[in-house]
């Protein structure tokens, strides 16, 4: 092989190595961008999950309050029914 041929091969190899290095660098850049996007999406999912948990806790508090109100309403209705029964008994006794 002539020195010119060897030089041409070395030059060709150097260009191929540079192209490979550029391709690897671009691949790394794209991978890092994808990782960053995935991390943003995971963070957004954690935020949404936290909001869902807060909403569920609020809903449970509302339901607890509604149950307490239902109990009070039932107690009040029972008390009203007793008072109506007393009034009816009193009216009945007057009539006799």
């Amino acid at each position: 092989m002539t020195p010119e041929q060897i030089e041409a091969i070395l030059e060709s190899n150097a260009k191929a190595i540079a192209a490979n290095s550029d391709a690897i660098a671009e691949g790394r850049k794209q991978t890092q961008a994808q990782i960053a996007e995935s991390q943003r999406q995971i963070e957004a999912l954690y935020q949404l999950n936290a909001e869902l948990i807060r909403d569920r806790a609020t809903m449970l508090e509302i339901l607890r309050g509604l149950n307490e109100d239902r109990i009070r309403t039932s107690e009040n209705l029972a008390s009203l029914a007793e008072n109506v029964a007393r009034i009816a008994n009193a009216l009945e006794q007057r009539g006799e």
Side-chain angles (χ1 to χ4, degrees):
M1 257 193 215
T2 66
E4 291 82 21
Q5 290 173 325
I6 293 172
E7 190 175 323
I9 290 171
L10 290 175
E11 199 173 303
S12 173
N13 286 345
K15 287 179 183 178
I17 290 170
N20 286 339
S21 294
D22 290 345
I24 290 170
E26 182 60 29
R28 282 186 182 152
K29 184 178 174 182
Q30 289 177 358
T31 300
Q32 288 172 345
Q34 289 171 344
I35 289 170
E37 179 60 25
S38 294
Q39 288 172 335
R40 281 190 291 277
Q41 290 174 353
I42 289 169
E43 186 177 327
L45 286 174
Y46 280 127
Q47 285 296 107
L48 290 172
N49 195 33
E51 289 175 22
L52 177 63
I53 290 169
R54 281 192 297 272
D55 290 348
R56 283 190 174 183
T58 301
M59 183 179 69
L60 289 174
E61 287 296 318
I62 290 169
L63 289 174
R64 184 177 298 131
L66 288 173
N67 284 335
E68 290 171 2
D69 290 346
R70 187 178 299 154
I71 290 168
R72 273 189 240 111
T73 300
S74 295
E75 290 170 349
N76 290 338
L77 286 173
S79 177
L80 285 172
E82 288 174 8
N83 289 338
V84 167
R86 282 191 204 125
I87 291 170
N89 284 336
L91 289 174
E92 191 177 298
Q93 288 176 358
R94 278 191 185 169
E96 291 179 359

